[in-house]
Amino acid sequence: MTRTKGTLVAEKKESLLGGFKAFLMRGNVIDLAVAVVIGAAFTNIVNSVVKGLINPVVGAFGTKDLESYSSCIKGTCVVVNGEVQGVQLQWGLVLSAVLSFLITAGVVYFLMVLPMAKVLAKRAAHDKAKEGIAETMEISELEVLKEIRDHLVAQRGPSVGAGTGTTPSANGSGSGAASGTHSTS
C-alpha cells in the first residue's frame, strides 16, 4: 500500500487538529480560562477598592490621589506644555500597584486558598480513616477465616493431614498426590 503526498498532508492536518482539540478539551485548560476571566473581573474590583477607599484615606494625609506622589531626582520637575521637565520618580504608582497586589493576594489567600486547604485536609483525614477501617476489616476477616479453618480442622480430628500441609487425594490416600509419584498401569 503506497501513500501519496496528499494523503500524508491530510493525515497530518487531522492529527494536528485532533491534538489541538484534545488540548482545548482538557480540564485544566478550561479551568485556566475561567480563572483568567474571573481574575480580570476581580482585578477591577481590587482597583476600585484602592482608588475608592485607600486613595481617599491616603489623601486625608496628603494629596487626594495616591498615584500622584512623585519625586524629582534631576532637574526641577516642572510641567511645560503637558510634559514634565527633569527626571521624575512616580513612586505613588508603584505604591498603588503594591497595595492592589497585597489586597488581591490577601483576598485570594483568605477567601480561596485557606478554605480549600482546610477542605482538602478534611478529605485527606477522612480518606485515611476510611482506609484504616478497610484495613481493619480485612485483618478481622482474615482472622475469622483462620478461626473457621482451625475449627474445621479440629472437628475432623488430628489424624487426617493435621499440620502436614497435604490434602487427601480423590482415592483417599493423603500421600499419593503430594509425593510426586504416579502409577501408570
Side-chain angles (χ1 to χ4, degrees):
M1 175 186 258
T2 61
R3 293 185 181 181
T4 63
K5 190 174 184 178
T7 59
L8 286 175
V9 171
E11 287 179 8
K12 195 171 193 178
K13 282 184 182 179
E14 286 179 20
S15 66
L16 286 175
L17 290 176
F20 184 65
K21 182 180 177 185
F23 169 73
L24 289 179
M25 299 313 276
R26 282 194 297 189
N28 56 357
V29 172
I30 294 170
D31 292 343
L32 182 61
V34 169
V36 167
V37 170
I38 295 295
F42 187 69
T43 300
N44 289 335
I45 293 171
V46 170
N47 288 337
S48 297
V49 168
V50 169
K51 288 181 181 180
L53 298 176
I54 294 178
N55 283 353
V57 170
V58 172
F61 301 105
T63 63
K64 288 186 176 182
D65 188 13
L66 179 64
E67 295 177 2
S68 67
Y69 284 104
S70 63
S71 298
C72 194
I73 59 171
K74 184 177 181 186
T76 58
C77 290
V78 182
V79 178
V80 178
N81 296 331
E83 204 174 294
V84 177
Q85 300 294 321
V87 178
Q88 185 179 24
L89 290 178
Q90 295 179 335
W91 55 271
L93 287 172
V94 175
L95 183 60
S96 179
V98 167
L99 287 175
S100 294
F101 172 76
L102 290 176
I103 291 170
T104 304
V107 169
V108 167
Y109 179 76
F110 289 112
L111 296 182
M112 295 177 192
V113 173
L114 197 60
M116 185 57 75
K118 287 182 181 181
V119 166
L120 292 176
K122 283 182 183 179
R123 177 182 273 173
H126 182 266
D127 289 347
K128 189 174 181 180
K130 196 179 214 183
E131 202 173 276
I133 290 171
E135 187 176 305
T136 303
M137 287 179 62
E138 288 177 12
I139 292 172
S140 63
E141 286 177 6
L142 185 61
E143 292 296 323
V144 168
L145 289 173
K146 285 180 182 178
E147 288 178 14
I148 291 171
R149 180 201 60 201
D150 293 344
H151 183 69
L152 289 173
V153 168
Q155 280 183 346
R156 278 191 194 159
S159 64
V160 180
T164 62
T166 61
T167 57
S169 64
N171 63 5
S173 69
S175 62
S179 66
T181 60
H182 298 284
S183 60
T184 57
S185 46

